[in-house]
Amino acid sequence: MKAVLAHIVGFAGSAWESLSFHRATKQVKETQEQVLIKILRDNAGTAYGRQYGFDGITSSEAYQGRVPLVEYPSMQPYIERISAGEEDVLFLGAPLCMQPTSGTTSAAKLIPFTAGLRIQYQRAVSAWTFDMQSYMPALLRGKAYWSLSPMVSESTLTPGGILIGFRDDTEYLTPAMGALTRDTFAVPGELGLVQDT
């Protein structure tokens, strides 16, 4: 019964994100431009933002002309600075954790997972789950199984003391939605810490 109530509360709380998402799909270019400009404004004071003059970029075209396309090796020195504990490198502040990639095509790479990214992730998950539950209302009555995080050991930290990986998949979500989602899980999140498959 607790899972059903959690699903219903989450469903109701996610309606706005679904509506917002569907509205944005009707003006994709404008929405993406607004998001880009906000990201640039929010991060103009970072080392990367100062290097490429984020404060003077006012359009996606200007961004494309000023900021180069990069692959992970080009970003690795910045990632290492963040891992060492330096703040305001690629984004303002420090990350919530350094999330490892799964490493299916090459060695795992660390990606900073920020509070801002968590909010955007939460918005995407809310729109997705609302739409999914709208089309299949039976999903509101059952338990869920989520598997997002690569397995990491319980005490893994970067040299600067930043946690590597989330310990529980609900940490991808905002604290309120994470607590609500935890009540819908078919298995306890602690199973994610088991190292023996």
Side-chain angles (χ1 to χ4, degrees), residues 82-115:
I82 294 167
S83 294
E86 186 178 339
E87 295 187 9
D88 304 338
V89 179
L90 295 172
F91 50 87
L92 287 180
L96 299 173
C97 76
M98 298 298 283
Q99 191 63 28
T101 63
S102 60
T104 53
T105 58
S106 62
K109 301 169 184 72
L110 294 179
I111 306 296
F113 198 95
T114 66

Side-chain angles (χ1 to χ4, degrees), residues 7 11 21 32 44 56 63 72 84 88 93-94 98 118 142 157 167 169:
H7 275 306
F11 180 75
F21 172 77
Q32 289 182 335
Y63 176 79
Y72 191 85
D88 304 338
M98 298 298 283
R118 175 188 272 169
L157 301 172
R167 301 297 167 249
D169 285 340

Side-chain angles (χ1 to χ4, degrees), residues 32-50 52-67 90-92:
Q32 289 182 335
E33 186 97 8
Q34 289 169 5
V35 169
L36 173 64
I37 298 304
K38 180 176 179 355
I39 290 169
L40 295 172
R41 291 295 148 267
D42 290 350
N43 295 289
T46 65
Y48 200 74
R50 287 190 307 273
Y52 291 106
F54 282 6
D55 60 349
I57 300 174
T58 58
S59 69
S60 56
E61 291 80 13
Y63 176 79
Q64 291 167 354
R66 188 175 297 180
V67 183
L90 295 172
F91 50 87
L92 287 180

